[in-house]
Amino acid sequence: MQSHDILAKNLRMLRAGAGLSQEDLADLAQVDRTYIGGLERSVRNPTLAVIERIARALGVEPYELLRPGRE
Amino acid sequence: MQSHDILAKNLRMLRAGAGLSQEDLADLAQVDRTYIGGLERSVRNPTLAVIERIARALGVEPYELLRPGRE
C-alpha cells in the first residue's frame, strides 16, 4: 500500500476517533481547510513539517500516521 | 525530538548500514545529489513522496524513517 493511502486511512480513523471534523483538524494543524480532505483522498503530497503538525494535533507521533495496519 | 532530526539520524544509520554514500542513495532515490546531505543536517523539508523513495532505496518502510530510537 502506498504511503499516501496509508496516511489517508490512518488520518480518517484518528480524526474520527478524536471526534474532529476535517475543518477542526485543519485549524488545529494550521493548514488550509480543504487540505485535510485532500490528504484523506490521497491527492496531496504533504511535507514532513505538515505531517508533524497534523500528528501533534491528533496527539500521535508522526511515524504513526504512516504506519500500515493501524486497525 | 523533531521529526526532521529523527529522520536525519535514521537516514545516517541506515545509509551507513547499507554501505551507501550520500550520492549513491541520492541516485537510487532519484533526488538531487546534495539533497541527502541536507536531510542528514535537518535543513530540508521533504515531501511524503521523497520520503517514500528514500525508504524504498534503503529497503525499509517509510514510517521506519520517522520512528524514534531505532538504535
Side-chain angles (χ1 to χ4, degrees), chain A residues 1 8 18 27 37-38 41 43 46 51 54-55 58 65 67-68:
Chain A
M1 198 176 189
D27 292 343
R41 294 192 313 278
V43 297
I51 293 169
I54 292 170
L58 289 168
L65 286 180
R67 194 166 52 180

Side-chain angles (χ1 to χ4, degrees), chain A residues 4-71:
Chain A
H4 294 75
D5 297 328
I6 294 167
L7 173 62
K9 193 174 158 198
N10 288 340
L11 200 47
R12 270 194 304 272
M13 194 181 60
L14 288 162
R15 180 175 61 76
L20 294 170
S21 69
Q22 291 180 346
E23 290 71 22
D24 293 336
L25 181 54
D27 292 343
L28 284 168
Q30 298 171 314
V31 296
D32 180 84
R33 303 201 96 189
T34 64
Y35 196 81
I36 299 295
L39 287 177
E40 292 186 1
R41 294 192 313 278
S42 301
V43 297
R44 296 282 184 168
N45 185 24
T47 64
L48 183 53
V50 165
I51 293 169
E52 182 150 51
R53 288 208 309 266
I54 292 170
R56 301 294 176 220
L58 289 168
V60 299
E61 287 294 318
Y63 81 90
E64 294 181 85
L65 286 180
L66 302 182
R67 194 166 52 180
R70 274 186 55 88
E71 257 51 60

